[in-house]
Amino acid sequence: MPIHEQSLIRPEDLRTHDQLVVDGVDVSGHWSTFIHSRVVSDYNEELQEQIASLPGGEHIHRCWQCGSCTNACTVNAINPDFNPRFWIYLVRMGLESELLRDKEIIWQCVSCNKCTYVCPRDVFPEGVMKALSHWLELKGHTRKSPAMVFDEVFTEQVIQRGRIEEGRLIRRFFARTGQALGQDWLVEMARRLLRHLPLGLLTRMGLASLRAPRTRGWSGARDALNEYVQEQSAAHRRALGLSELIETARQDASGASGG
Amino acid sequence: MPENKADRYRRVAYYPGCALEGTGHAYNRSTRQLGKALGLDLVEVPDWNCCGAMEAKNVDPKVQTYLSARVLSLTANRMGMDVVMAPCNGCYHNLKKAEHDLANDPGSAEVVARLARKAGDPAYQPGEVETVHALEWLKAAIGEEELRRRVRGGLKGLKVANYYGCMYTRPRHIFPEKDSGPASESTAKPHFMDDLLAAAGAENVEFALKTACCGGAHTLSDSDVSTHLVLNILQAAEAAGAEVIATECPTCHSGLELHQVRAEKRLGVRTGVKIIYFTQLLGLALGLSPRKVGLHENVSDARELLAARGVT
Ligand code: SF4
Ligand code: SF4
């Protein structure tokens, strides 16, 4: 099936000329549009393997490019540049530099799993989106996305205490992303709640809470999870060949300071 | 499984989850009150922990599997029970996903067993506990006929759009019991909430965005997208003639409320449709007071509408 949703010709490579004659042939105007050719030579042959080594990316090789995921995608309906089918194609072809053109929007996947629902090949494209975001961050192509900051603040709180308290979570997230807590719409929400809620209940709802809930008997789970998360992040860096890089940089740095 | 579902679900383990102790408090309150009014027993899982929601999996999927498996293990081993009911779509989804992964993915099973051993919990064996959503619980334990008999006053022609969100039906493979015959729930066009509310007298509108996404995963980290998605849902419900959107998930519910306000503030787009938990609506239909079902805890203030319609 032909794929219509994404042209490989970039708009900036289209050339038309008001007045142009080549070898005695008049090629002026829209009817003689040229496409500036480009050559891709910097394939990253390991790209697919690297994505497959990160959680969620394991089944990327199954994709047969039907385009169902993009067709069903929630974010694609808002922004046509958000295109899971196309990104999977780029990864499988090793077209890293092409992929990087979209690096600032890949994290916007909302995990609705509409893609997973329709995918005929069990690629789990939702997972692939997460693997791509991780890869971009681990490789240093993007800063940590606000979504990833939120996920980390959340997960840290769960691992530490066993439970989430939303007020604390929101405050931490805003602090870590450098945003003011007094967003007009959040203030308006609180105002509407306060209209008919006693303060005691607001406290219970975590919006004005000082008390953080915790799970009884959690310390064993906390230690086990902390250890596991560290082990995994080291494994991901190894899989992407980043640990040697970091080690070399560290040795360089200590060599320089020693000398 | 010895008896039928209706009997098994009369007494179930109850896993409220973090959201129901916070912004989803009204859902917690109305679910408990509904259970009490219908003579169904909810026994809270002792020392429960967060299931990982939509966040832990992005740090590592197996962290989420462990967190959810721990809740299943508490249900089986500490409580000796075989049904756990979760009203939150996120909790329900994650417990279902853990159940599926532990049974089908040896890698997950190995990591979860290792973490449980280190943490000192008894390991969970897939198949020991059945996870059900509040909708499935009420549908099987009470059902439409019984509900019709018990309804006082009811919802009398209140026009309702039933909104199920993402996590109740997707991805399909973690819900093997769905799409399995006429009486089962459908993942493409879920209807359990429609069925229950219709039995309580509501007039359900034809609503195309039942399982659309509200952007709940990025409600604070990518708010413009979430506002856009929520506004689609609110406006589609209004266009379908709904006065109320019935919800069955605390994340969807507060997402809809939050971004209804945000759309007003940031985009100047006002929508009047009210957002109410289905358990609040059912409680009111059974004659419980608005206070008992926590109607005053909703940001979207529906008290005037419900009084005008004679529901309260
Ligand atoms: S999970 Fe992400 S990629 Fe898949 S349909 Fe939803 S937004 Fe699109
Ligand atoms: S739906 Fe599945 S097979 Fe089709 S393009 Fe998307 S990932 Fe590939």
Side-chain angles (χ1 to χ4, degrees):
Chain A
M1 193 178 78
I3 289 162
H4 300 290
E5 26 79 347
Q6 171 79 38
S7 168
L8 290 175
I9 301 169
R10 297 177 186 165
E12 65 267 29
D13 289 337
L14 294 175
R15 302 282 154 80
T16 56
H17 302 268
D18 291 341
Q19 289 293 329
L20 186 66
V21 177
V22 177
D23 292 341
V25 182
D26 182 359
V27 288
S28 311
H30 181 71
W31 289 104
S32 303
T33 297
F34 291 83
I35 302 162
H36 185 71
S37 66
R38 61 193 167 96
V39 177
V40 180
S41 54
D42 55 342
Y43 292 94
N44 175 353
E45 286 173 21
E46 277 152 28
L47 191 53
Q48 174 170 327
E49 247 170 73
Q50 291 181 347
I51 298 301
S53 73
L54 296 173
E58 297 89 348
H59 305 297
I60 188 169
H61 63 280
R62 293 177 181 163
C63 176
W64 62 20
Q65 288 290 301
C66 69
S68 302
C69 49
T70 295
N71 190 39
C73 176
T74 298
V75 180
N76 176 265
I78 299 179
N79 178 5
D81 289 338
F82 188 99
N83 192 334
R85 194 274 314 153
F86 180 53
W87 295 333
I88 292 172
Y89 165 78
L90 296 178
V91 170
R92 301 206 59 204
M93 297 291 283
L95 296 169
E96 179 169 337
S97 53
E98 290 285 306
L99 183 72
L100 291 181
R101 290 162 65 89
D102 288 333
K103 66 182 181 172
E104 297 301 340
I105 59 171
I106 293 176
W107 67 274
Q108 288 185 298
C109 163
V110 288
S111 293
C112 68
N113 268 315
K114 292 214 166 198
C115 50
T116 310
Y117 190 89
V118 294
C119 176
R121 295 280 296 156
D122 283 348
V123 172
F124 303 104
E126 185 268 344
V128 176
M129 295 306 109
K130 299 302 156 196
L132 290 178
S133 312
H134 266 164
W135 180 86
L136 287 167
E137 286 171 17
L138 282 168
K139 285 279 197 178
H141 293 306
T142 53
R143 277 175 300 128
K144 225 165 238 172
S145 70
M148 195 63 214
V149 174
F150 191 83
D151 295 339
E152 286 183 357
V153 173
F154 187 102
T155 307
E156 280 163 24
Q157 203 182 110
V158 176
I159 293 182
Q160 280 320 109
R161 323 186 69 91
R163 290 192 193 179
I164 283 298
E165 187 258 291
E166 291 159 320
R168 189 168 296 252
L169 176 68
I170 293 171
R171 287 197 299 275
R172 287 260 161 87
F173 170 69
F174 278 102
R176 214 177 275 187
T177 49
Q179 300 177 70
L181 192 56
Q183 309 266 326
D184 55 352
W185 49 288
L186 282 177
V187 171
E188 175 65 19
M189 255 252 326
R191 202 178 61 76
R192 288 191 195 185
L193 268 172
L194 274 168
R195 261 206 313 249
H196 40 80
L197 273 187
L199 188 66
L201 186 68
L202 274 183
T203 310
R204 194 145 23 110
M205 292 172 75
L207 294 168
S209 168
L210 297 171
R211 167 198 73 104
R214 58 164 72 241
T215 301
R216 232 173 5 135
W218 183 248
S219 58
R222 180 193 62 208
D223 296 346
L225 284 168
N226 270 328
E227 194 181 318
Y228 173 75
V229 168
Q230 272 162 23
E231 181 188 295
Q232 285 306 301
S233 95
H236 298 154
R237 283 175 196 286
R238 251 195 324 276
L240 266 52
L242 292 172
S243 41
E244 291 131 65
L245 210 72
I246 293 167
E247 204 30 57
T248 317
R250 196 176 290 145
Q251 276 165 9
D252 277 3
S254 65
S257 66
Chain B
M1 308 278 157
E3 330 94 289
N4 66 14
K5 267 191 186 176
D7 291 334
R8 290 183 60 230
Y9 290 3
R10 296 207 76 77
R11 185 166 183 277
V12 296
Y14 180 49
Y15 176 43
C18 307
L20 267 71
E21 304 236 305
T23 45
H25 187 261
Y27 195 19
N28 198 354
R29 182 194 281 242
S30 52
T31 303
R32 288 179 192 269
Q33 288 294 339
L34 203 53
K36 208 186 272 177
L38 293 168
L40 304 172
D41 233 355
L42 295 177
V43 193
E44 186 163 336
V45 176
D47 299 336
W48 55 263
N49 55 275
C50 170
C51 69
M54 281 168 294
E55 285 78 11
K57 76 168 181 37
N58 298 335
V59 170
D60 191 287
K62 293 191 179 77
V63 167
Q64 178 187 295
T65 316
Y66 167 73
L67 291 168
S68 302
R70 184 178 181 276
V71 175
L72 293 167
S73 165
L74 288 170
T75 307
N77 299 308
R78 190 95 74 84
M79 307 176 82
M81 294 181 80
D82 61 2
V83 181
V84 62
M85 189 276 276
C88 167
N89 271 2
C91 299
Y92 166 70
H93 175 279
N94 284 353
L95 264 50
K96 285 284 197 193
K97 177 145 196 320
E99 180 74 36
H100 176 272
D101 287 357
L102 291 176
N104 296 289
D105 173 21
S108 294
E110 186 267 317
V111 170
V112 169
R114 182 152 54 91
L115 286 170
R117 205 167 41 245
K118 275 193 199 155
D121 328 321
Y124 173 73
Q125 299 305 325
E128 287 181 304
V129 173
E130 182 193 7
T131 302
V132 296
H133 189 272
L135 284 171
E136 297 166 323
W137 169 64
L138 288 168
K139 177 99 168 158
I142 296 296
E144 290 101 295
E145 259 174 57
E146 175 74 13
L147 204 56
R148 234 172 264 127
R149 259 202 302 279
R150 288 177 179 244
V151 159
R152 273 182 245 295
L155 305 174
K156 282 182 291 199
L158 189 71
K159 295 200 180 61
V160 179
N162 291 271
Y163 177 61
Y164 297 79
C166 300
M167 315 268 281
Y168 177 69
T169 55
R170 286 191 300 269
R172 193 199 320 246
H173 69 272
I174 64 172
F175 307 110
E177 68 288 353
K178 289 179 180 161
D179 299 326
S180 59
S184 75
E185 182 60 300
S186 155
T187 58
K189 212 178 170 199
H191 53 82
F192 277 17
M193 185 158 50
D194 294 64
D195 298 347
L196 292 168
L197 291 176
E203 190 186 308
N204 296 316
V205 303
E206 195 54 51
F207 184 42
L209 298 191
K210 276 173 184 236
T211 65
C213 177
C214 70
H218 290 173
T219 203
L220 293 175
S221 52
D222 198 6
S223 304
D224 289 341
V225 165
S226 300
T227 301
H228 189 124
L229 295 174
V230 166
L231 202 53
N232 276 349
I233 293 164
L234 300 175
Q235 289 177 328
E238 289 190 347
E243 303 160 298
V244 166
I245 297 181
T247 55
E248 41 88 300
C249 167
T251 308
C252 299
H253 183 99
S254 43
L256 260 51
E257 286 187 326
L258 202 78
H259 290 282
Q260 187 172 42
V261 174
R262 194 171 185 273
E264 256 176 54
K265 282 267 154 200
R266 290 286 166 94
L267 308 175
V269 185
R270 264 192 105 80
T271 42
V273 65
K274 301 299 176 197
I275 301 141
I276 312 180
Y277 287 110
F278 87 98
T279 43
Q280 293 181 304
L281 289 170
L282 285 182
L284 293 172
L286 292 172
L288 298 180
S289 73
R291 247 201 134 66
K292 268 206 165 145
V293 298
L295 209 57
H296 58 295
E297 295 180 19
N298 295 2
V299 175
S300 156
D301 192 348
R303 288 173 296 178
E304 216 169 281
L305 168 77
L306 294 178
R309 288 283 173 287
V311 175
T312 58

